Amino acid sequence: MRDRAVPEVLVFDHTGTPEAGTQVPAGGVKSGEGLEEAVLREVAEETGLLRATVVRQIAVEDKPHPDTGQPRRTSFFFLQAPADTSGAWDRHVHRDGDDAGLTFACRFLPLPLKQPLADDQDTWLGYIDPRWTTVTGDSQ
C-alpha cells in the first residue's frame, strides 16, 4: 500500500498473460526464510520495489491451490511503500526460477478496487483501516 489522497494498493499484470489476472505480489517461502523476509523478497523480485516495509501480518488463510487443488496456506501482510513511489512501471525478472523472463506491469490502484483481484487476493484489503493504524475483524 502507499499513502496518497486515498490508500492505494500495489498490483501487477503478467505482460502477455492476461488470463493470470491482476494480482498482488506473492510467492513461496524458501527453506530457512522467515515470513517477513519472504514477503519482502517476493515484492522486490516481482516489482523491483526495495523500499517497502512490513507493517504487520493481517491474515492466514487455508484453502486449496487454484490450479492444483493441493492444500495451501497463505499469509497476507500489510506493507507500506513510500508515498513518492512511482505510480506505474514494468518489471522484467532476470533471476532464476518460476518468474525468470517474465515482465510484470506494476501499478498502484486506489481503494476501494473497482474489480476483484485474481484468486480472491483482495479479500483481506477491507481489514486494513484506511488510516493504516489498525486492522479490524478476525484475521485468523
Side-chain angles (χ1 to χ4, degrees):
M1 308 268 307
R2 76 174 177 173
D3 192 10
R4 301 289 287 228
V6 297
E8 297 175 330
V9 64
L10 176 60
V11 300
F12 65 80
D13 292 294
H14 292 265
T15 301
T17 314
E19 63 273 13
T22 302
Q23 305 174 34
V24 293
V29 179
K30 294 180 179 180
S31 178
E33 187 175 47
L35 291 178
E36 289 187 13
E37 181 182 5
V39 74
L40 290 171
R41 176 185 49 77
E42 286 291 344
V43 167
E45 288 175 356
E46 294 180 353
T47 70
L49 184 60
L50 302 175
R51 298 187 306 147
T53 56
V54 174
V55 176
R56 67 179 58 89
Q57 183 174 351
I58 59 172
V60 176
E61 180 179 80
D62 290 302
K63 70 178 191 179
H65 189 280
D67 296 328
T68 67
Q70 295 297 309
R72 176 182 69 172
R73 172 165 280 180
T74 303
S75 297
F76 292 84
F77 282 82
F78 168 31
L79 279 69
Q80 186 170 2
D84 64 351
T85 303
S86 178
W89 65 96
D90 287 339
R91 166 73 171 166
H92 183 73
V93 179
H94 297 285
R95 67 175 177 88
D96 294 332
D98 294 342
D99 296 337
L102 295 177
T103 299
F104 299 107
C106 304
R107 67 191 182 283
F108 282 94
L109 294 177
L111 294 178
L113 294 175
K114 294 180 180 174
Q115 299 290 326
L117 299 177
D119 194 27
D120 299 321
Q121 291 178 331
D122 52 307
T123 299
W124 299 103
L125 288 175
Y127 285 72
I128 301 173
D129 186 285
R131 293 176 306 276
W132 301 16
T133 57
T134 61
V135 176
T136 59
D138 181 8
S139 64
Q140 296 297 321

